[in-house]
Amino acid sequence: MLALPAHAQTPGPTPEWHFSEGHLLDAYTKDEPPKWDRVLGIAAQTAPKYEGGNAYTTSFGPTFDIRYRDIAFASAGEGFGVNLLHDKTYRAGVALAYDLGRNNSDDHHVGELGNYSISPEAKIFAEYLLFPVTFRIDLRHSFGGQGGYIGDISFYTPVAGKDGKYFVFAGPSMTFADANNLGHTFGVSTAQSAKSGYPTHYLGSGVRSYSFGVSGGYFFTKHWLFEGFVSGEQLVGGAGTAPFVQQRGQLNLQLTTAYRW
């Protein structure tokens, strides 16, 4: 089992479990985790220009996932963290991640709503393995950017695989958020309404979206591997009815070539 790094945890069509997939299963199937597990690679991602948009953009960049035993990790997707509790069937800890925010130049539909800058996120998380299904929950707080609290409840399971050759995971996720986060991301204040022409839109806390993803990887040598990931998201509630949301259902595609040692 293997998890590969992904892009930062900006809320979007990617289920949150993808950022940590396979690591708890890996600990479960081995007598002792390796001292170091390192993955470096190049990733490409095609995703909506903003959450709720109907125009897509493709980005490229380096990606990494470095683990020390089952204790600490530095990951492009999961962040920089420590497993404060860990065993073969569970882990829980804290991490510092980041949110890429939203730029008003990304799409003309959000051009008059203002920017949300890149910001750090504090995260707590927990995973439990009821073999072969891994259940995961996390809660994040953004210091700036979209602000507020946002979290996920998800699970995934391997659907195919052969150790050292290939793997396939699949699973759903539900994302929830407080009124602060939903208001910043999908709300329209009186001032924003006057500038953009959109009607005012106020939100309370609640479910933000549902998503489902499938991840597969293939080792074409002992150390080199290729991974593909596709997921879909459905915005619901006040997030889905925001006046600038062009499309409630959205897709995300990631392709990664990486070296593991």
Side-chain angles (χ1 to χ4, degrees):
M1 302 302 177
L2 172 69
L4 280 182
H7 290 290
Q9 289 190 336
T10 298
T14 305
E16 202 274 340
W17 61 259
H18 177 53
F19 299 116
S20 63
E21 68 180 44
H23 287 300
L24 192 55
L25 280 163
D26 200 33
Y28 179 81
T29 56
K30 292 181 178 178
D31 293 333
E32 185 177 346
K35 183 176 181 180
W36 290 100
D37 188 11
R38 294 157 290 200
V39 180
L40 297 177
I42 299 293
Q45 176 175 262
T46 298
K49 288 186 175 181
Y50 72 94
E51 196 174 10
N54 59 2
Y56 283 71
T57 184
T58 299
S59 58
F60 302 86
T63 188
F64 62 91
D65 192 281
I66 301 171
R67 309 262 163 177
Y68 176 72
R69 300 195 185 277
D70 196 24
I71 299 173
F73 57 87
S75 167
E78 201 176 358
F80 300 81
V82 177
N83 298 323
L84 300 176
L85 301 173
H86 55 92
D87 198 7
K88 286 186 173 295
T89 59
Y90 63 84
R91 71 173 190 150
V94 296
L96 182 64
Y98 58 100
D99 177 6
L100 292 176
R102 185 181 72 197
N103 193 308
N104 64 3
S105 64
D106 289 344
D107 190 285
H108 69 277
H109 292 103
V110 292
E112 302 299 331
L113 296 177
N115 294 331
Y116 296 114
S117 60
I118 297 174
S119 62
E121 285 185 334
K123 176 171 66 171
I124 58 174
F125 62 87
E127 289 184 330
Y128 178 74
L129 175 64
L130 185 61
F131 188 82
V133 181
T134 300
F135 297 89
R136 180 176 173 88
I137 186 170
D138 78 281
L139 181 65
R140 311 189 300 274
H141 176 65
S142 177
F143 298 94
Q146 297 184 35
Y149 290 89
I150 183 169
D152 306 90
I153 300 173
S154 58
F155 67 88
Y156 68 90
T157 185
V159 295
K162 184 177 180 180
D163 191 30
K165 292 294 184 180
Y166 65 92
F167 59 88
V168 180
F169 295 104
S173 183
M174 179 183 74
T175 300
F176 55 92
D178 68 359
N180 189 9
N181 180 276
L182 284 170
H184 275 106
T185 312
F186 294 101
V188 179
S189 67
T190 301
Q192 289 173 321
S193 175
K195 192 173 183 179
S196 67
Y198 291 127
T200 57
H201 187 64
Y202 297 101
L203 298 91
S205 59
V207 177
R208 175 173 170 147
S209 66
Y210 296 98
S211 59
F212 187 88
V214 177
S215 173
Y218 177 75
F219 288 84
F220 50 91
T221 72
K222 181 180 178 180
H223 296 288
W224 285 99
L225 64 152
F226 176 80
E227 186 193 34
F229 179 79
V230 62
S231 61
E233 177 194 48
Q234 181 72 22
L235 297 173
V236 297
T241 58
F244 53 85
V245 167
Q246 303 299 304
Q247 190 169 293
R248 293 191 185 190
Q250 301 185 293
L251 295 174
N252 174 59
L253 173 65
Q254 298 175 16
L255 300 174
T256 302
T257 299
Y259 184 83
R260 182 191 188 195
W261 77 102

